[in-house]
Amino acid sequence: MSELSELFADFSDPLRLGIADLGWSEPTPVQERVIPRMREGTDLIVQAQTGSGKTGAFGLPIILNFDPEIAACQSLIMTPTRELANQVAGEIAALSKHTGLRCLAVYGGVGYQHQIDGIEAGAHVIVGTPGRMLDHLGAGRLKVDSLRTLILDEADELLSLGFWPDMREISKYLPKQRQSCLFSATMPERVQSLARVFLSDPSFVSLSEDQLAPQEIQHFFVVTTAQEKEANLARILEYEEPESAIIFCNTKDDVRFVTSYLQRRGFDADQISGDLSQAAREQAMGRIKAGQLRFLVATDVAARGIDISDLTHVIGYSAPQSPEVYVHRTGRTGRAGKAGVAISLVSGLDIGNFRQLQQVNKIEITEREVPSEEVIIERLQDQLSVKVEQEIREIPQRERAWKIDRFLPIVDSLANNDEGRKQLAAICASFLKEHRPDTRVDSVEAAPKDRPDERAPSRSGSKRRNDRTNRGGGGRRRRRPR
Ligand code: AMP
């Protein structure tokens, strides 16, 4: 075995063998910080990117803590996609190869039998997407009485894909006595709400030494050409799924242009500019506050003096004309101790000024890529499957043949030719438009005492949708962009 770092050297022989098999000799910085804390048993919120070695950071303590004598699930790891589930399960299986730990990946879109066999064989660690986990829990196949550790991996993505209703249901099955750790690349307010639901008295771990709590506002910028600016804005909104945002432009012409561009693409957007009377501006504000409007496009002047707080996002479509303007703009989010996200679109010409603005304001603004069309399509597909699986789960098993399977010949015939495929595409588009992912996190009621073996289909998902529609008295109806 090669020379191992102090942290790894303290592990059992079989685990050190697994680490050596993977060729790891030093822990990554996130492992260095997380592993000792997890071993102490503390609940943790960890801000870490993919590629930082976060799987090892939670995987190694899980392996150290598992009891081979208990042939039941001791750790649940929720991941947003099947790819990530496989990747995480693969890494944990490789690390624990010599320890006797059994690790299983469970996710939707594939048959049940292999997963049932794995659960029945006494998998110690189950990694998977929340939807399928809930299926197994609901059917009484998966028991979590022996659960020691819960991991929410890529928590921001779990929420963006619409897994909250499933996670909320899962939380009702979990034993209170457990360690819970949440990993996320970004810490928007909804992720922090998720932490409040699942974690108890958590510590925050980030890679920068001096960061002791999630930042109130996370600042990002994307570099874009002037020609692609509006298309890139639409991509960012589509990918980012803000609950509510103000989009700042420097001129009234831009406000009009951006508003009509977004509206044509099906975004729920409206504008305020200095042309409007104070009453009309207040009215637009009232709508965004009541949750009846998602996107407000405005000039800095038009937004001045009007109180809009509680926005989840501030987007800079045009570069701010001074460092002070940037501070004013971004101060519209991250209010009252809640977290917000500020994203600025910066074209080549503006980059110099933008960097200067960072220095003057002494804020760290991280560069991000504009999500590509492929990435967005992948995201839409994931959101579609999450929602469809949620809808299927609501239909009792005995009714599924009648309500779903009889449409299979129709799907086969449509999938057979181009015109039919377009019809299927239209069905997907319209379904997603009607069912925007539930990304907000609300509270969870106490766990019901009795759990039937074959769980009756729960209507909680649709009930909650209605509850939310009524929230704030505004009847928010959120639409997906077309
Ligand atoms: P993750 O952020 O967990 O997706 O990990 C990113 C990559 O880093 C994976 O390929 C890991 O196998 C690898 N990795 C994780 N920890 C270490 C380590 N301590 N030394 C070398 N490679 C590592």
Side-chain angles (χ1 to χ4, degrees):
M1 218 186 286
S2 59
E3 194 65 16
L4 286 182
S5 82
E6 219 173 294
L7 182 73
F8 291 166
D10 181 39
F11 297 167
S12 65
D13 286 348
L15 182 53
R16 281 190 289 134
L17 264 180
I19 293 175
D21 286 350
L22 290 187
W24 300 2
S25 51
E26 293 286 324
T28 66
V30 73
Q31 290 165 1
E32 192 97 60
R33 288 187 154 228
V34 167
I35 292 171
R37 311 284 287 275
M38 265 192 82
R39 292 187 77 181
E40 285 165 10
T42 334
D43 281 8
L44 295 177
I45 302 177
V46 183
Q47 183 156 17
Q49 316 281 335
T50 302
S52 58
K54 64 182 170 60
T55 314
F58 60 75
L60 290 166
I62 282 177
I63 302 168
L64 283 164
N65 193 28
F66 100 99
D67 181 347
E69 301 298 318
I70 304 174
C73 176
Q74 298 171 38
S75 297
L76 267 188
I77 302 169
M78 294 190 205
T79 64
T81 62
R82 71 183 66 179
E83 291 77 19
L84 187 61
N86 274 325
Q87 200 180 304
V88 169
E91 189 154 308
I92 291 181
L95 287 168
S96 63
K97 189 172 156 204
H98 308 282
T99 68
L101 179 143
R102 286 184 294 271
C103 182
L104 175 73
V106 302
Y107 41 78
V110 295
Y112 282 79
Q113 201 51 53
H114 169 74
Q115 299 176 6
I116 295 174
D117 292 346
I119 294 170
E120 284 175 358
H124 301 109
V125 176
I126 295 195
V127 189
T129 50
R132 184 57 72 88
M133 260 180 199
L134 183 58
D135 276 346
H136 291 302
L137 283 166
R141 289 186 286 266
L142 174 58
K143 301 269 195 280
V144 283
D145 314 331
S146 309
L147 191 82
R148 298 175 171 199
T149 317
L150 171 76
I151 305 288
L152 310 178
D153 192 13
E154 300 200 355
D156 45 1
E157 286 295 292
L158 281 166
L159 292 177
S160 295
L161 292 180
F163 276 122
W164 166 242
D166 300 334
M167 297 172 77
R168 183 170 176 270
E169 285 298 301
I170 290 174
S171 74
K172 299 177 185 169
Y173 289 84
L174 302 175
K176 280 212 162 60
Q177 199 62 33
R178 60 166 201 263
Q179 179 178 35
S180 306
C181 300
L182 175 154
F183 288 72
S184 189
T186 59
M187 289 289 159
E189 183 56 30
R190 60 194 187 211
V191 170
Q192 296 184 36
S193 305
L194 191 68
R196 286 191 280 274
V197 171
F198 280 95
L199 277 56
S200 107
D201 196 18
S203 305
F204 179 72
V205 179
S206 89
L207 284 190
S208 46
E209 299 276 339
D210 51 359
Q211 202 182 325
L212 297 173
Q215 284 160 331
E216 283 188 1
I217 307 176
Q218 282 190 281
H219 299 264
F220 299 100
F221 72 99
V222 295
V223 177
T224 169
T225 59
Q227 293 82 351
E228 285 180 310
K229 216 168 182 186
E230 62 277 6
N232 284 339
L233 169 68
R235 286 208 175 111
I236 289 168
L237 296 182
E238 202 169 18
Y239 189 80
E240 198 67 27
E241 292 277 3
E243 270 172 29
S244 57
I246 185 161
I247 298 158
F248 281 106
C249 301
N250 286 349
T251 65
K252 289 183 215 167
D253 280 351
D254 274 354
V255 167
R256 271 193 291 272
F257 169 74
V258 169
T259 310
S260 91
Y261 182 86
L262 292 179
Q263 287 173 343
R264 270 184 282 121
R265 290 201 149 208
F267 288 96
D268 185 16
D270 206 348
Q271 59 179 312
I272 46 166
S273 72
D275 287 348
L276 296 178
S277 66
Q278 177 73 11
R281 290 191 288 153
E282 294 288 353
Q283 197 192 8
M285 289 302 156
R287 288 175 57 215
I288 202 159
K289 275 186 185 174
Q292 294 165 328
L293 176 70
R294 261 179 98 196
F295 302 114
L296 190 65
V297 189
T299 57
D300 296 287
V301 176
R304 192 180 296 156
I306 300 180
D307 169 41
I308 352 165
S309 47
D310 246 8
L311 295 175
T312 62
H313 286 64
V314 167
I315 315 279
Y317 176 79
S318 324
Q321 282 165 329
S322 72
E324 297 76 46
V325 169
Y326 184 81
V327 173
H328 275 130
R329 282 183 178 182
T330 55
R332 303 288 185 166
T333 186
R335 293 267 177 103
K338 288 188 171 178
V341 176
I343 305 177
S344 302
L345 285 92
V346 183
S347 58
L349 283 176
D350 300 323
I351 287 185
N353 285 341
F354 199 73
R355 293 214 187 284
Q356 198 201 349
L357 166 161
Q358 294 188 55
Q359 281 165 3
V360 173
N361 288 329
K362 296 198 175 60
I363 35 182
E364 195 183 321
I365 312 186
T366 313
E367 182 168 359
R368 263 195 188 179
E369 298 280 319
V370 177
S372 65
E373 186 59 17
E374 294 74 47
V375 166
I376 291 177
I377 292 299
E378 220 173 88
R379 157 77 54 105
L380 290 177
Q381 183 170 356
D382 285 338
Q383 288 176 337
L384 188 68
S385 351
V386 171
K387 197 69 215 179
V388 170
E389 283 168 19
Q390 283 167 356
E391 296 282 309
I392 295 175
R393 207 169 299 120
E394 303 244 318
I395 302 173
Q397 195 72 45
R398 60 181 182 283
E399 292 174 20
R400 290 188 189 166
W402 166 251
K403 290 192 170 158
I404 299 172
D405 297 0
R406 62 199 284 253
F407 288 89
L408 286 172
I410 302 179
V411 173
D412 289 342
S413 105
L414 285 174
N416 225 352
N417 63 79
D418 282 350
E419 215 32 59
R421 289 173 59 239
K422 282 195 182 147
Q423 289 182 16
L424 284 177
I427 292 169
C428 292
S430 131
F431 181 84
L432 269 181
K433 193 174 156 203
E434 282 305 307
H435 299 90
R436 269 181 40 77
D438 249 334
T439 57
R440 289 205 209 183
V441 176
D442 55 11
S443 60
V444 178
E445 309 100 52
K449 291 226 166 43
D450 302 313
R451 275 280 157 199
D453 263 6
E454 180 70 41
R455 223 157 60 94
S458 135
R459 302 299 308 172
S460 58
S462 8
K463 181 172 162 289
R464 181 169 171 276
R465 270 198 300 279
N466 296 337
D467 289 351
R468 267 200 9 194
T469 307
N470 293 331
R471 187 187 280 195
R476 167 188 289 249
R477 194 164 280 279
R478 300 202 293 166
R479 271 184 273 139
R480 279 207 64 76
R482 250 177 255 142

